[in-house]
Amino acid sequence: DSSKTKMGLPEVKLGLLPGFGGTQNLHPVVGLQNAMDMMLTGKDIRPHQAKKMGLVDLVVAQASLERVAIDSAAALANGSLKAKRKSKSMFNKILEDNSIGRNVI
């Protein structure tokens, strides 16, 4: 949760397509509209905005990062921490989950 932390697809600002599956893997996580915005503009995403859109699961202070990482790893290992997906709003379902809506986008 630092003011220096930024996420995004900076290669887009150089005219390059997102690498490492960015075009295929991003939209199921953050939704088609947010993914298109990130892929076409290269805007930086701040931590709290990334959490709100579903790009990250946790935003923690630097002082507690190691403790939270160890606790999360332990929870994943023992099965008490499950993957969670943000549910889509009705508007996003209409736009993203049918061919007519995708043609609009």
Side-chain angles (χ1 to χ4, degrees), residues 2-100:
S2 170
S3 61
K4 296 180 183 178
T5 303
K6 297 185 268 185
M7 287 154 272
L9 303 168
E11 62 270 32
V12 172
K13 294 177 184 176
L14 299 174
L16 301 173
L17 292 174
F20 299 103
T23 56
Q24 293 85 18
N25 299 322
L26 187 60
H27 72 87
V29 175
V30 300
L32 188 58
Q33 293 179 73
N34 287 330
M36 292 292 285
D37 185 44
M38 290 175 69
M39 287 187 278
L40 295 174
T41 65
K43 289 181 188 173
D44 294 329
I45 308 296
R46 297 291 178 184
H48 290 286
Q49 183 183 2
K51 183 170 179 8
K52 184 178 175 184
M53 70 176 19
L55 188 60
V56 298
D57 291 325
L58 293 172
V59 176
V60 297
Q62 187 174 357
S64 61
L65 179 60
E66 185 176 356
R67 180 79 257 148
V68 171
I70 291 169
D71 291 345
S72 296
L76 280 170
N78 69 24
S80 63
L81 182 62
K82 302 289 182 197
K84 52 188 170 192
R85 288 289 165 119
K86 187 178 125 183
S87 62
K88 292 182 182 180
S89 68
M90 183 57 78
F91 180 73
N92 285 343
K93 285 181 185 177
I94 292 169
L95 278 178
E96 297 176 9
D97 294 342
N98 66 62
S99 61
I100 297 170

